[in-house]
Amino acid sequence: MAQKPSIPKGTRDFNPTEMGRRNFIFDTIKNVYKVYGFEPIETPSMEQLSTLLGKYGEEGDKLLFRILNSGDFLRSVDTNDLNNKELTKLSSQMCEKGLRYDLTVPFARYVVQHRNEITFPFRRYQIQPVWRADKPQKGRYREFYQCDADVIGSDSQMNEAELVMIMDEIFSKLGIRTCIKLNNRKILSGMVSLINREDLLTEITIGIDKLDKIGIDQVQEELNQKGMTAQEFEIIKPILQLCGSNRDKIEVMRNLFANQPEGLKGVEELESVLNLLTGYELRNELEFDLSLARGLNYYTGCIFEVKALDVQIGSICGGGRYDNLTGVFGMEGVSGVGISFGADRIYDVLDNLNLFPESVTHTIKAMFVNFGDRESLYCLQAATKLRNKGIAVEVYPESAKMKKQMSYANAKQIPFVIFVGEEEINNNQFKVKDMENGDQNTHNFDSLYTILGA
Amino acid sequence: MAQKPSIPKGTRDFNPTEMGRRNFIFDTIKNVYKVYGFEPIETPSMEQLSTLLGKYGEEGDKLLFRILNSGDFLRSVDTNDLNNKELTKLSSQMCEKGLRYDLTVPFARYVVQHRNEITFPFRRYQIQPVWRADKPQKGRYREFYQCDADVIGSDSQMNEAELVMIMDEIFSKLGIRTCIKLNNRKILSGMVSLINREDLLTEITIGIDKLDKIGIDQVQEELNQKGMTAQEFEIIKPILQLCGSNRDKIEVMRNLFANQPEGLKGVEELESVLNLLTGYELRNELEFDLSLARGLNYYTGCIFEVKALDVQIGSICGGGRYDNLTGVFGMEGVSGVGISFGADRIYDVLDNLNLFPESVTHTIKAMFVNFGDRESLYCLQAATKLRNKGIAVEVYPESAKMKKQMSYANAKQIPFVIFVGEEEINNNQFKVKDMENGDQNTHNFDSLYTILGA
């Protein structure tokens, strides 16, 4: 009967220490979202496959986890498809539901489905797991959390400015030094218009996205393979290599785009965001980065990406504006803008830099040693009074050997251990041992509370 | 391209109001668990099917959601099974993983898998969704949350006593008046020993479990159908109908079990729990209820169930002691005890009795009306200062018509709307409208903060 238990590859158990640290990240993000007026929603883990399919490209469709229909899952199966092992067709015939792949498509579905109950502009945040049947590897999981905030139904750049503030505030609260990178898809568009090669937009943005990793020569080579002439590349190259302050870059681009309305619009949008940040004290770097493109093709305006300064790791937050997210569900012309925090990478950064506060994992303040029935009843009553004041304490549940009780307190790194014998009961006192320095002192309840409440 | 979007039946979207209310329940439970020294863990949504199968009975196996293997899901399929439509075999050949059905089996798997890292007794809580392919109906969903706390590795009745305190504290914090019912499986066992019909234990507990619903005559009839004589029934009947205080009942049972060691052990365990509650001020009723049996056969000691007093609804919390939860995974002889709160039913009770605090859904304190670039920059700066002090405010993102902005604030029930024109900017002031009574007053920042912080 005994099985050696394990969990599916690419998934994780989280122990109390990891949970304390993860909740520190989630709570920090959530609390900042809240003061900026974002409100939470949640959507089901399962969506209809019809909602998910075709939204993430061909590769994405393959990475969806599909849920076998309950009961007779063969009832709608086509025998020919079965004999020919038509996997794609069969999986659609046997599965109606899939696990959500991200929070963006379910959010778009939510907005369309509940459009009549929603007050627009709608500011929502959503922190939930997503699932992808990706090949598991270091830092890549099949179940992981996304932490999204979006404003939908407003095209004001104030939303972008507030999202920058949110990113700045969250990373400052987490203690991570970052560079928040900003760009605008219209600027990228304008750029390709300068060389009259709109057809190469996707290729150029992909190339630019890889600039950091493969260098300008390799990008040129790849673009050349896609059909860009050396002459065309020379025109866009200086733009990619632009430097100076954000305002300097804006001025150069504004001049370059004098006759290119879309690019100019992008520059103006970017400038609006910077103007709205006047007087806001940024604690992170903010850089208008023309090499920033981001992979997702649904972005149409401002795009964001955040890099940690002190750890070499991919982006830890990203987002942008999209003009037609809900169109695929029949609701056209609704503009939105959003960001998403990568909780797992943020965890790795904090872990790497040793930035997790002690307090997030060591929540239990004291343990009462158990010497027997009478003593433990006294301890339990004191514990109740402390718990009522919000202090987390334990009473060791049985009068085990002292050594066992002390090694429990040690293993759990409980800072104070409390001993109550007959003398303490008679005098209404508590003998308290500070586990860090070994000091022992006797206290009444009030001074015990003072010590533990500190 | 447009699809009319929907979600799978039995699943739910939660809007901001519902989320605020649900989080009020989860946070209340979590905070009490925490001060009692319970620490959080999380396990993956997916478990190996081998972990889940056979743990919930034949019916449970059918209710598991199975996840189609990625890639060629037909690779391990037996052609004969396919031709014969052997659904059970095929689903095991095409699916390795399933969605968790409860938190108890994953917890047992976790304890065995991580036994070398865990300090016992292990007090963990876990609040996560579970999935069941049950027929959806009012109050029954295919995705719902469980909120479990268990102590594993200690057989002291202090754990039971603390769990009673936790239930008492949580329902008191939620504002729900309840009766916490207590019984002990050993007492039930002892009872069947009195008539020498141990073979009927399961049938009797099932019958007792239904006593409330169908009445004593119907229970007798059903037991009679299972082979219990009228004479045997007469012996156990008075026990079921026992009344008086908890201490009175204990005395009667103690005498009845004078020569029945198991029953006596159950009575003593129950008495220990009551003794440990001496001096604890219960705010809910606590009743030793001999008709309480609970359906799950893995309970071996104390059992709990909580009923709301002011709403007719099933139990809203339950649990008990189990002596061998981890045995199925190869770790024998570990005793544990736990409780689980039914968040959905608690939601219905609170909703029914109108007990949700206003504050949990109306978190946004004020909205700044947007009159244009200059004004909104001023507002944004004031908003930042308020947000830094933890007050949730919004600046309407565009200078839309006043009517539109006001109806937004109305729809979201934002209590204060702030107007800033040229005069306010010049005087460093804010005109504040109290949306409840219509009063308008002008304030400087400090008095604005005082109003909103109240």
Side-chain angles (χ1 to χ4, degrees):
Chain A
M1 192 63 179
Q3 310 164 346
K4 191 174 151 46
S6 67
I7 51 177
K9 62 179 177 184
T11 69
R12 293 166 289 172
D13 284 326
F14 296 111
N15 68 29
T17 303
E18 290 160 336
M19 285 298 295
R21 293 174 169 184
R22 288 170 64 82
N23 285 335
F24 166 64
I25 296 170
F26 294 134
D27 290 345
T28 303
I29 293 171
K30 211 180 295 182
N31 289 333
V32 175
Y33 282 163
K34 274 185 195 167
V35 294
Y36 276 81
F38 287 75
E39 296 187 302
I41 71 160
E42 278 186 11
T43 61
S45 303
M46 305 169 181
E47 293 276 350
Q48 308 286 11
L49 272 174
S50 57
T51 299
L52 302 175
L53 285 168
K55 308 301 187 301
Y56 308 106
E58 219 172 295
E59 193 51 30
D61 283 356
K62 284 191 194 140
L63 299 184
L64 293 172
F65 279 111
R66 289 149 201 259
I67 292 160
L68 195 67
N69 290 342
S70 304
D72 180 3
F73 51 85
L74 293 179
R75 63 181 174 276
S76 314
V77 164
D78 182 294
T79 314
N80 284 335
D81 293 338
L82 201 56
N83 293 336
N84 298 330
K85 299 206 170 184
E86 295 277 1
L87 295 173
T88 309
K89 287 185 185 168
L90 289 172
S91 67
S92 296
Q93 291 160 11
M94 295 194 293
C95 304
E96 281 168 8
K97 297 178 285 289
L99 295 178
R100 74 175 155 250
Y101 179 90
D102 71 0
L103 302 177
T104 307
V105 167
F107 175 54
R109 192 268 310 146
Y110 178 98
V111 167
V112 177
Q113 194 175 328
H114 302 279
R115 60 203 293 176
N116 295 326
E117 310 143 35
I118 294 173
T119 309
F120 293 95
F122 182 40
R123 301 153 82 85
R124 86 86 173 79
Y125 74 85
Q126 190 170 357
I127 299 180
Q128 289 193 279
V130 302
W131 295 269
R132 297 182 185 179
D134 245 323
K135 208 177 169 65
Q137 58 186 58
K138 191 180 177 312
R140 195 203 278 162
Y141 305 100
R142 292 185 148 193
E143 174 177 50
F144 58 97
Y145 271 74
Q146 291 192 333
C147 312
D148 285 21
D150 291 79
V151 188
I152 195 160
S154 161
D155 54 15
S156 159
Q157 299 302 305
M158 187 184 289
N159 301 299
E160 275 83 342
E162 290 197 329
L163 290 174
V164 170
M165 293 175 184
I166 286 174
M167 292 185 272
D168 183 63
E169 180 71 17
I170 287 173
F171 286 113
S172 146
K173 283 219 155 79
L174 290 172
I176 302 175
R177 300 193 320 127
T178 73
C179 177
I180 301 168
K181 297 183 174 204
L182 271 188
N183 197 4
N184 192 300
R185 272 290 169 93
K186 296 188 181 83
I187 295 177
L188 294 171
S189 258
M191 188 170 67
V192 292
S193 295
L194 290 178
I195 53 171
N196 254 316
R197 290 300 299 266
E198 287 83 352
D199 61 308
L200 284 178
L201 174 59
T202 307
E203 285 73 16
I204 294 176
T205 59
I206 290 171
I208 294 171
D209 202 27
K210 294 202 272 184
L211 193 71
D212 267 11
K213 289 167 208 143
I214 62 176
I216 192 103
D217 293 343
Q218 186 69 26
V219 167
Q220 174 166 19
E221 199 180 310
E222 291 192 4
L223 286 172
N224 178 260
Q225 281 169 14
K226 300 281 179 188
M228 183 183 286
T229 67
Q231 202 185 354
E232 288 163 352
F233 187 78
E234 284 313 303
I235 297 175
I236 63 161
K237 187 176 167 188
I239 300 181
L240 300 189
Q241 296 180 319
L242 212 64
C243 58
S245 74
N246 293 334
R247 296 285 180 182
D248 292 344
K249 289 178 187 171
I250 282 178
E251 284 320 307
V252 173
M253 295 306 293
R254 196 200 312 276
N255 293 331
L256 269 165
F257 286 144
N259 297 309
Q260 214 299 314
E262 189 177 14
L264 204 57
K265 180 84 167 32
V267 170
E268 281 164 3
E269 286 179 3
L270 203 86
E271 195 175 20
S272 288
V273 177
L274 296 183
N275 288 344
L276 284 162
L277 290 167
T278 308
Y280 178 85
E281 278 180 56
L282 277 160
R283 286 143 296 172
N284 292 267
E285 294 176 13
L286 180 69
E287 186 192 350
F288 169 25
D289 180 353
L290 274 153
S291 81
L292 174 64
R294 291 191 62 77
L296 290 169
N297 270 317
Y298 56 70
Y299 291 129
T300 50
C302 189
I303 44 182
F304 311 106
E305 202 161 277
V306 181
K307 298 261 185 193
L309 293 180
D310 303 315
V311 176
Q312 202 70 29
I313 201 166
S315 71
I316 52 180
C317 179
R321 177 171 289 278
Y322 39 84
D323 276 342
N324 198 18
L325 195 66
T326 53
V328 67
F329 297 116
M331 187 174 165
E332 301 284 344
V334 185
S335 187
V337 56
I339 50 173
S340 184
F341 286 80
D344 289 297
R345 282 196 184 158
I346 291 172
Y347 188 102
D348 290 343
V349 170
L350 291 170
D351 200 22
N352 232 291
L353 300 175
N354 233 333
L355 289 175
F356 283 114
E358 271 288 295
S359 60
V360 305
T361 45
H362 298 110
T363 50
I364 297 162
K365 282 277 157 49
M367 184 192 88
F368 290 85
V369 171
N370 189 327
F371 286 114
D373 284 355
R374 190 171 165 236
E375 292 85 352
S376 60
L377 183 58
Y378 177 91
C379 292
L380 205 48
Q381 291 169 353
T384 300
K385 285 167 73 180
L386 291 167
R387 287 162 173 166
N388 284 343
K389 291 168 182 285
I391 296 173
V393 296
E394 289 188 58
V395 182
Y396 196 85
E398 36 211 77
S399 56
K401 288 207 180 102
M402 180 69 118
K403 198 181 157 203
K404 191 176 177 195
Q405 299 192 44
M406 291 308 284
S407 68
Y408 174 88
N410 261 318
K412 293 191 74 176
Q413 297 181 260
I414 296 174
F416 295 98
V417 171
I418 303 168
F419 305 88
V420 169
E422 192 154 345
E423 200 187 322
E424 283 79 18
I425 296 181
N426 291 339
N427 297 317
N428 236 321
Q429 289 182 324
F430 304 87
K431 196 192 285 175
V432 182
K433 179 173 181 173
D434 181 326
M435 296 292 276
E436 202 172 334
N437 58 26
D439 286 357
Q440 289 198 32
N441 287 296
T442 299
H443 297 274
N444 62 18
F445 180 82
D446 288 342
S447 75
L448 173 65
Y449 169 58
T450 307
I451 292 170
L452 302 185
Chain B
M1 191 65 179
Q3 310 165 346
K4 190 174 152 49
S6 67
I7 51 176
K9 62 178 178 184
T11 69
R12 292 165 290 173
D13 284 326
F14 297 111
N15 68 27
T17 302
E18 291 161 335
M19 284 298 296
R21 293 174 170 184
R22 287 170 65 81
N23 285 336
F24 166 64
I25 296 170
F26 294 135
D27 290 344
T28 303
I29 294 171
K30 210 181 297 183
N31 289 334
V32 175
Y33 282 164
K34 273 186 197 167
V35 294
Y36 276 80
F38 287 75
E39 297 187 302
I41 70 160
E42 279 185 11
T43 61
S45 302
M46 306 169 180
E47 292 276 350
Q48 307 286 10
L49 273 174
S50 57
T51 299
L52 302 174
L53 285 168
K55 308 302 187 300
Y56 307 106
E58 219 172 295
E59 193 51 31
D61 283 356
K62 283 191 195 141
L63 300 183
L64 293 173
F65 279 111
R66 289 150 201 257
I67 293 160
L68 196 67
N69 290 342
S70 304
D72 180 4
F73 51 85
L74 294 178
R75 64 182 173 274
S76 314
V77 164
D78 182 294
T79 314
N80 284 335
D81 293 339
L82 201 56
N83 293 337
N84 299 329
K85 299 207 170 186
E86 293 278 1
L87 295 172
T88 308
K89 285 185 186 169
L90 288 172
S91 67
S92 297
Q93 291 160 9
M94 295 194 293
C95 303
E96 282 167 9
K97 297 179 285 290
L99 294 178
R100 73 173 157 251
Y101 179 91
D102 71 359
L103 302 177
T104 307
V105 168
F107 175 54
R109 192 267 310 146
Y110 178 98
V111 168
V112 177
Q113 195 176 327
H114 301 280
R115 59 203 293 177
N116 295 325
E117 309 144 35
I118 295 172
T119 309
F120 294 95
F122 183 41
R123 299 153 83 85
R124 85 86 172 79
Y125 73 84
Q126 189 170 358
I127 299 180
Q128 290 193 277
V130 302
W131 295 267
R132 297 181 185 180
D134 245 323
K135 209 177 169 65
Q137 59 186 57
K138 192 180 175 314
R140 195 203 278 163
Y141 305 99
R142 292 185 149 192
E143 174 178 49
F144 58 97
Y145 271 75
Q146 291 192 333
C147 312
D148 285 21
D150 291 80
V151 187
I152 195 159
S154 161
D155 54 15
S156 160
Q157 300 301 305
M158 185 183 289
N159 301 299
E160 275 83 341
E162 289 197 330
L163 290 175
V164 170
M165 293 176 184
I166 286 174
M167 292 185 273
D168 183 63
E169 181 71 18
I170 287 173
F171 287 113
S172 147
K173 284 220 153 78
L174 290 172
I176 302 175
R177 299 192 322 127
T178 73
C179 177
I180 301 168
K181 298 183 174 205
L182 271 187
N183 197 3
N184 192 300
R185 272 291 169 93
K186 297 189 181 81
I187 295 177
L188 294 171
S189 257
M191 188 170 66
V192 292
S193 294
L194 291 177
I195 54 171
N196 254 318
R197 290 300 300 263
E198 287 83 353
D199 61 308
L200 284 179
L201 173 59
T202 306
E203 284 74 16
I204 295 177
T205 59
I206 290 172
I208 295 172
D209 202 28
K210 295 201 274 185
L211 192 71
D212 266 11
K213 289 166 209 146
I214 62 176
I216 192 101
D217 293 343
Q218 186 70 25
V219 168
Q220 174 166 22
E221 198 181 310
E222 292 191 4
L223 287 172
N224 179 259
Q225 281 168 13
K226 300 283 179 185
M228 183 183 285
T229 67
Q231 200 184 355
E232 287 163 352
F233 186 78
E234 284 312 304
I235 297 176
I236 63 160
K237 188 177 166 188
I239 302 182
L240 301 188
Q241 297 181 315
L242 213 63
C243 58
S245 74
N246 293 334
R247 298 284 180 180
D248 291 345
K249 290 179 187 171
I250 282 177
E251 284 320 307
V252 174
M253 294 306 292
R254 196 201 312 276
N255 293 332
L256 268 164
F257 286 144
N259 297 310
Q260 214 299 313
E262 190 177 13
L264 204 56
K265 181 80 168 28
V267 171
E268 281 165 4
E269 287 179 1
L270 203 86
E271 194 175 22
S272 287
V273 176
L274 296 183
N275 288 343
L276 284 162
L277 290 167
T278 308
Y280 178 85
E281 279 180 56
L282 277 161
R283 286 144 296 173
N284 292 268
E285 295 177 12
L286 180 69
E287 185 191 351
F288 168 26
D289 181 353
L290 274 153
S291 81
L292 173 64
R294 290 191 63 74
L296 290 168
N297 270 317
Y298 58 69
Y299 291 128
T300 50
C302 189
I303 44 183
F304 310 106
E305 203 162 275
V306 181
K307 298 260 184 194
L309 294 179
D310 303 314
V311 176
Q312 202 69 29
I313 200 166
S315 72
I316 53 180
C317 179
R321 177 170 289 277
Y322 40 83
D323 276 342
N324 198 16
L325 195 67
T326 53
V328 68
F329 297 116
M331 189 173 164
E332 301 284 345
V334 184
S335 186
V337 57
I339 50 173
S340 184
F341 287 80
D344 288 297
R345 282 194 182 159
I346 292 173
Y347 188 101
D348 289 344
V349 171
L350 291 170
D351 200 22
N352 233 292
L353 301 175
N354 232 332
L355 287 176
F356 284 114
E358 272 287 296
S359 59
V360 306
T361 45
H362 298 109
T363 50
I364 297 162
K365 283 277 157 52
M367 184 194 87
F368 291 86
V369 171
N370 188 328
F371 286 113
D373 285 354
R374 190 170 164 235
E375 293 84 353
S376 60
L377 183 59
Y378 176 92
C379 292
L380 204 49
Q381 290 168 354
T384 300
K385 283 166 74 180
L386 291 166
R387 288 163 174 167
N388 284 343
K389 291 167 182 285
I391 297 172
V393 296
E394 289 188 58
V395 182
Y396 196 85
E398 36 212 75
S399 56
K401 288 206 177 103
M402 180 69 119
K403 198 180 158 205
K404 192 176 175 196
Q405 298 193 42
M406 292 307 284
S407 69
Y408 174 88
N410 262 318
K412 293 191 74 175
Q413 297 181 260
I414 296 174
F416 295 98
V417 170
I418 304 167
F419 305 88
V420 169
E422 191 156 341
E423 199 187 323
E424 284 78 19
I425 296 181
N426 292 338
N427 297 317
N428 236 322
Q429 289 181 323
F430 304 87
K431 196 192 284 175
V432 181
K433 178 173 182 174
D434 181 327
M435 296 290 279
E436 201 170 337
N437 58 25
D439 286 357
Q440 288 198 32
N441 288 295
T442 299
H443 297 273
N444 62 19
F445 181 82
D446 287 341
S447 76
L448 173 65
Y449 170 58
T450 306
I451 293 170
L452 302 185

PDB file of all heavy atoms in Angstrom, chain B residues 302-316:
ATOM      1  N   CYS B 302     -11.331  12.589  18.916  1.00  0.00           N
ATOM      2  CA  CYS B 302     -12.238  13.729  18.994  1.00  0.00           C
ATOM      3  C   CYS B 302     -12.770  14.109  17.615  1.00  0.00           C
ATOM      4  O   CYS B 302     -12.049  14.031  16.621  1.00  0.00           O
ATOM      5  CB  CYS B 302     -11.459  14.898  19.599  1.00  0.00           C
ATOM      6  SG  CYS B 302     -12.489  16.294  19.998  1.00  0.00           S
ATOM      7  N   ILE B 303     -14.040  14.468  17.549  1.00  0.00           N
ATOM      8  CA  ILE B 303     -14.577  15.046  16.311  1.00  0.00           C
ATOM      9  C   ILE B 303     -15.308  16.350  16.634  1.00  0.00           C
ATOM     10  O   ILE B 303     -15.863  16.516  17.718  1.00  0.00           O
ATOM     11  CB  ILE B 303     -15.511  14.073  15.551  1.00  0.00           C
ATOM     12  CG1 ILE B 303     -16.486  13.366  16.504  1.00  0.00           C
ATOM     13  CG2 ILE B 303     -14.715  13.040  14.755  1.00  0.00           C
ATOM     14  CD1 ILE B 303     -17.373  12.346  15.829  1.00  0.00           C
ATOM     15  N   PHE B 304     -15.244  17.276  15.683  1.00  0.00           N
ATOM     16  CA  PHE B 304     -15.832  18.620  15.840  1.00  0.00           C
ATOM     17  C   PHE B 304     -16.802  18.912  14.707  1.00  0.00           C
ATOM     18  O   PHE B 304     -16.580  18.475  13.576  1.00  0.00           O
ATOM     19  CB  PHE B 304     -14.766  19.714  15.701  1.00  0.00           C
ATOM     20  CG  PHE B 304     -13.542  19.548  16.504  1.00  0.00           C
ATOM     21  CD1 PHE B 304     -12.344  19.163  15.904  1.00  0.00           C
ATOM     22  CD2 PHE B 304     -13.563  19.799  17.861  1.00  0.00           C
ATOM     23  CE1 PHE B 304     -11.185  19.049  16.650  1.00  0.00           C
ATOM     24  CE2 PHE B 304     -12.405  19.687  18.614  1.00  0.00           C
ATOM     25  CZ  PHE B 304     -11.204  19.302  18.000  1.00  0.00           C
ATOM     26  N   GLU B 305     -17.769  19.745  15.008  1.00  0.00           N
ATOM     27  CA  GLU B 305     -18.603  20.286  13.945  1.00  0.00           C
ATOM     28  C   GLU B 305     -19.233  21.576  14.474  1.00  0.00           C
ATOM     29  O   GLU B 305     -19.602  21.640  15.647  1.00  0.00           O
ATOM     30  CB  GLU B 305     -19.683  19.277  13.549  1.00  0.00           C
ATOM     31  CG  GLU B 305     -20.202  19.501  12.157  1.00  0.00           C
ATOM     32  CD  GLU B 305     -20.915  18.269  11.617  1.00  0.00           C
ATOM     33  OE1 GLU B 305     -20.221  17.379  11.081  1.00  0.00           O
ATOM     34  OE2 GLU B 305     -22.136  18.196  11.736  1.00  0.00           O
ATOM     35  N   VAL B 306     -19.328  22.567  13.610  1.00  0.00           N
ATOM     36  CA  VAL B 306     -19.881  23.854  14.043  1.00  0.00           C
ATOM     37  C   VAL B 306     -21.135  24.173  13.241  1.00  0.00           C
ATOM     38  O   VAL B 306     -21.133  24.085  12.011  1.00  0.00           O
ATOM     39  CB  VAL B 306     -18.854  24.988  13.877  1.00  0.00           C
ATOM     40  CG1 VAL B 306     -19.439  26.313  14.355  1.00  0.00           C
ATOM     41  CG2 VAL B 306     -17.566  24.673  14.628  1.00  0.00           C
ATOM     42  N   LYS B 307     -22.195  24.523  13.961  1.00  0.00           N
ATOM     43  CA  LYS B 307     -23.441  24.931  13.315  1.00  0.00           C
ATOM     44  C   LYS B 307     -23.717  26.401  13.631  1.00  0.00           C
ATOM     45  O   LYS B 307     -23.536  26.832  14.778  1.00  0.00           O
ATOM     46  CB  LYS B 307     -24.620  24.115  13.872  1.00  0.00           C
ATOM     47  CG  LYS B 307     -24.515  22.633  13.618  1.00  0.00           C
ATOM     48  CD  LYS B 307     -25.364  22.210  12.433  1.00  0.00           C
ATOM     49  CE  LYS B 307     -25.322  20.696  12.270  1.00  0.00           C
ATOM     50  NZ  LYS B 307     -25.845  20.271  10.977  1.00  0.00           N
ATOM     51  N   ALA B 308     -24.167  27.129  12.618  1.00  0.00           N
ATOM     52  CA  ALA B 308     -24.589  28.508  12.855  1.00  0.00           C
ATOM     53  C   ALA B 308     -25.932  28.478  13.576  1.00  0.00           C
ATOM     54  O   ALA B 308     -26.781  27.644  13.274  1.00  0.00           O
ATOM     55  CB  ALA B 308     -24.715  29.239  11.532  1.00  0.00           C
ATOM     56  N   LEU B 309     -26.113  29.386  14.559  1.00  0.00           N
ATOM     57  CA  LEU B 309     -27.368  29.382  15.322  1.00  0.00           C
ATOM     58  C   LEU B 309     -28.486  30.150  14.628  1.00  0.00           C
ATOM     59  O   LEU B 309     -29.655  29.853  14.817  1.00  0.00           O
ATOM     60  CB  LEU B 309     -27.140  29.975  16.717  1.00  0.00           C
ATOM     61  CG  LEU B 309     -26.237  29.170  17.656  1.00  0.00           C
ATOM     62  CD1 LEU B 309     -26.088  29.892  18.996  1.00  0.00           C
ATOM     63  CD2 LEU B 309     -26.794  27.766  17.866  1.00  0.00           C
ATOM     64  N   ASP B 310     -28.121  31.152  13.812  1.00  0.00           N
ATOM     65  CA  ASP B 310     -29.152  32.054  13.296  1.00  0.00           C
ATOM     66  C   ASP B 310     -29.513  31.834  11.833  1.00  0.00           C
ATOM     67  O   ASP B 310     -30.294  32.593  11.264  1.00  0.00           O
ATOM     68  CB  ASP B 310     -28.707  33.513  13.504  1.00  0.00           C
ATOM     69  CG  ASP B 310     -28.423  33.800  14.970  1.00  0.00           C
ATOM     70  OD1 ASP B 310     -29.264  33.399  15.799  1.00  0.00           O
ATOM     71  OD2 ASP B 310     -27.369  34.385  15.276  1.00  0.00           O
ATOM     72  N   VAL B 311     -28.911  30.833  11.220  1.00  0.00           N
ATOM     73  CA  VAL B 311     -29.220  30.509   9.824  1.00  0.00           C
ATOM     74  C   VAL B 311     -29.305  28.999   9.694  1.00  0.00           C
ATOM     75  O   VAL B 311     -28.495  28.284  10.271  1.00  0.00           O
ATOM     76  CB  VAL B 311     -28.114  31.039   8.866  1.00  0.00           C
ATOM     77  CG1 VAL B 311     -28.404  30.602   7.435  1.00  0.00           C
ATOM     78  CG2 VAL B 311     -27.998  32.547   8.938  1.00  0.00           C
ATOM     79  N   GLN B 312     -30.290  28.546   8.939  1.00  0.00           N
ATOM     80  CA  GLN B 312     -30.444  27.122   8.684  1.00  0.00           C
ATOM     81  C   GLN B 312     -29.493  26.738   7.554  1.00  0.00           C
ATOM     82  O   GLN B 312     -29.715  27.077   6.395  1.00  0.00           O
ATOM     83  CB  GLN B 312     -31.902  26.844   8.284  1.00  0.00           C
ATOM     84  CG  GLN B 312     -32.368  25.422   8.496  1.00  0.00           C
ATOM     85  CD  GLN B 312     -32.493  25.068   9.982  1.00  0.00           C
ATOM     86  OE1 GLN B 312     -32.755  25.945  10.806  1.00  0.00           O
ATOM     87  NE2 GLN B 312     -32.284  23.806  10.307  1.00  0.00           N
ATOM     88  N   ILE B 313     -28.415  26.072   7.867  1.00  0.00           N
ATOM     89  CA  ILE B 313     -27.430  25.696   6.855  1.00  0.00           C
ATOM     90  C   ILE B 313     -26.621  24.543   7.429  1.00  0.00           C
ATOM     91  O   ILE B 313     -26.610  24.324   8.633  1.00  0.00           O
ATOM     92  CB  ILE B 313     -26.530  26.929   6.506  1.00  0.00           C
ATOM     93  CG1 ILE B 313     -25.846  26.765   5.152  1.00  0.00           C
ATOM     94  CG2 ILE B 313     -25.530  27.203   7.604  1.00  0.00           C
ATOM     95  CD1 ILE B 313     -25.229  28.072   4.629  1.00  0.00           C
ATOM     96  N   GLY B 314     -25.979  23.756   6.595  1.00  0.00           N
ATOM     97  CA  GLY B 314     -25.153  22.639   7.069  1.00  0.00           C
ATOM     98  C   GLY B 314     -24.025  23.129   7.951  1.00  0.00           C
ATOM     99  O   GLY B 314     -23.937  24.306   8.281  1.00  0.00           O
ATOM    100  N   SER B 315     -23.123  22.225   8.345  1.00  0.00           N
ATOM    101  CA  SER B 315     -22.040  22.630   9.240  1.00  0.00           C
ATOM    102  C   SER B 315     -21.091  23.581   8.506  1.00  0.00           C
ATOM    103  O   SER B 315     -20.876  23.474   7.309  1.00  0.00           O
ATOM    104  CB  SER B 315     -21.286  21.411   9.751  1.00  0.00           C
ATOM    105  OG  SER B 315     -20.519  20.848   8.726  1.00  0.00           O
ATOM    106  N   ILE B 316     -20.558  24.573   9.237  1.00  0.00           N
ATOM    107  CA  ILE B 316     -19.702  25.587   8.619  1.00  0.00           C
ATOM    108  C   ILE B 316     -18.240  25.385   8.995  1.00  0.00           C
ATOM    109  O   ILE B 316     -17.374  26.134   8.564  1.00  0.00           O
ATOM    110  CB  ILE B 316     -20.175  27.016   8.978  1.00  0.00           C
ATOM    111  CG1 ILE B 316     -20.320  27.195  10.491  1.00  0.00           C
ATOM    112  CG2 ILE B 316     -21.512  27.303   8.300  1.00  0.00           C
ATOM    113  CD1 ILE B 316     -20.786  28.594  10.899  1.00  0.00           C
TER     114      ILE B 316
END
